[in-house]
Amino acid sequence: MEEFKSGFVTLIGRTNVGKSTLVNLLVGEKVAAIANKVQTTRTAIKGIVNRQNSQIIFVDTPGIHKPKTKLNETMVETSFTSLIDSDIVLFLIEATSDEIGRGDKIILDKIKEAKRKTILIINKIDLVKREKLLRLIAIYSKEYNFEAVIPISATNLKYKEIILDEIEKNLKPGPAYYDIEEYTDQTLRQLAEETIREKALKLLKDEVPHGIYVEVEKMKQRKNKVKEDIYDIEATIYCLRNSHKGIIIGKNGEMLKRIGRAARMDMEQNFGVKVNLKTWVKVKEDWQENNTIVNQFKLK
């Protein structure tokens, strides 16, 4: 019988390169918030893949960007800390790059420093011609001795097993760190907050930047009249200014209703129970500089 293997795999890359989409594809459940905006992921989220002979724990990190606030500094620090603690690194870049950009160069230097086994994942290959892709592979291969280079499209299921097989091949023998029924170490409360924030980001487009965070203030399970399990969830969406509050609530409360409806449907599907969700919007002008709030986004 094959020896059981396990390990922690960090996904790292610039903002908006497709890391959360990839971790959700690999885990097969919705673990990380996906919105087509930079800096969607704020903490290092773990997704767990249990295979016949291995347990792979994915750490999806915040994208690397130039920090402008205390929150941004914490996010970048989290990414680099999880790099050092990982067994394998999945370094995600975009196929559309012509060269190694500044952000990718910083990450590459950190990988060299950490001396970790690294698999280079080139995402969005559907957007480029084969010649360009081969040129990019050659440029990166000169820089570091990658265990493998895998060109993918993170939305396509066919790449899932290819990546998982390559990771498993490079893992060391080890125990299962988590129960095999689990797929994330996030609490339901955290998953609820992530879901609401993702829906808000998706629906608000560019009108409200990343100046929002969500706090679930109440989460209780009960039975409804027909004895079905139901979660009562009350959450507050905090934003930076009054004008943002107006946009989030929308005309006659329409936008907030849409955010709530989309989040509730997603949670019911993910949690497997009915959800009764109530949301409020409050202004908290300095939250991105507030240590108590920002520290929640640090790597635990």
Side-chain angles (χ1 to χ4, degrees), residues 4-271:
F4 194 84
K5 295 170 157 190
S6 61
F8 290 80
V9 177
T10 293
L11 276 89
I12 199 162
R14 283 176 298 108
T15 49
N16 223 6
V17 75
K19 295 186 303 301
S20 297
T21 307
L22 182 60
V23 87
N24 288 340
L25 173 90
L26 295 171
V27 176
E29 298 279 353
K30 195 136 178 221
V31 182
I34 305 168
N36 192 16
K37 292 194 173 188
V38 296
Q39 297 169 35
T40 308
T41 304
R42 289 190 182 143
T43 47
I45 292 167
K46 290 192 191 80
I48 301 157
V49 173
N50 291 295
R51 306 181 97 205
Q52 203 179 339
N53 292 308
S54 65
Q55 184 177 74
I56 304 165
I57 301 119
F58 286 102
V59 183
D60 173 30
T61 56
I64 304 301
H65 57 284
K66 203 168 179 197
K68 291 192 178 79
T69 62
K70 206 167 266 182
L71 169 68
N72 294 136
E73 278 170 25
T74 301
M75 286 160 70
V76 171
E77 186 192 315
T78 296
S79 291
F80 290 140
T81 308
S82 56
L83 190 71
I84 299 159
D85 295 337
S86 60
D87 299 297
I88 293 169
V89 176
L90 289 193
F91 176 22
L92 198 59
I93 63 165
E94 284 185 344
T96 49
S97 321
D98 289 310
E99 53 185 31
I100 301 173
R102 240 183 64 212
D104 287 326
K105 175 87 175 71
I106 292 167
I107 297 167
L108 205 46
D109 288 344
K110 292 283 180 186
I111 290 171
K112 287 175 183 174
E113 251 175 67
K115 296 187 175 71
R116 288 287 169 270
K117 280 187 171 189
T118 303
I119 296 167
L120 182 67
I121 307 279
I122 305 177
N123 192 20
K124 306 182 185 177
I125 55 168
D126 44 321
L127 303 178
V128 298
K129 290 199 163 68
R130 188 178 154 78
E131 295 72 44
K132 184 170 182 170
L133 182 61
L134 292 172
R135 204 163 50 241
L136 193 63
I137 291 171
I139 293 170
Y140 271 88
S141 299
K142 278 193 192 117
E143 288 295 318
Y144 195 74
N145 186 15
F146 295 104
E147 303 304 319
V149 177
I150 308 174
I152 66 155
S153 174
T155 52
N156 193 327
L157 204 58
K158 73 174 183 185
Y159 297 106
K160 177 178 175 170
E161 294 305 318
I162 297 169
I163 298 170
L164 292 176
D165 286 346
E166 190 57 50
I167 291 168
E168 192 176 288
K169 203 170 87 185
N170 283 288
L171 283 177
K172 290 189 177 126
Y177 292 95
Y178 293 92
D179 188 313
I180 58 164
E181 293 303 310
E182 295 183 58
Y183 66 87
T184 179
D185 72 339
Q186 282 195 296
T187 61
L188 283 185
R189 186 180 286 261
Q190 286 171 308
L191 286 170
E193 288 169 348
E194 273 288 297
T195 305
I196 296 164
R197 196 167 66 89
E198 178 202 351
K199 297 308 171 198
L201 289 179
K202 262 192 171 157
L203 290 166
L204 293 165
K205 305 279 190 303
D206 295 323
E207 292 176 276
V208 175
H210 275 250
I212 62 169
Y213 91 97
V214 178
E215 192 163 52
V216 166
E217 326 228 316
K218 180 184 160 193
M219 193 162 181
K220 268 175 93 169
Q221 197 172 5
R222 63 177 168 89
K223 299 263 188 222
N224 65 7
K225 285 174 186 160
V226 289
K227 297 281 180 275
E228 291 174 314
D229 281 327
I230 187 165
Y231 267 112
D232 287 322
I233 300 173
E234 292 179 14
T236 303
I237 300 171
Y238 288 98
C239 58
L240 293 167
R241 25 191 99 79
N242 262 319
S243 58
H244 291 177
K245 183 178 175 178
I247 293 167
I248 296 165
I249 292 169
K251 198 176 174 185
N252 303 325
E254 225 19 75
M255 179 52 81
L256 190 59
K257 278 183 205 149
R258 283 179 67 198
I259 293 167
R261 199 179 308 126
R264 179 183 56 76
M265 286 163 72
D266 224 19
M267 283 186 233
E268 286 185 340
Q269 199 183 347
N270 278 344
F271 300 171

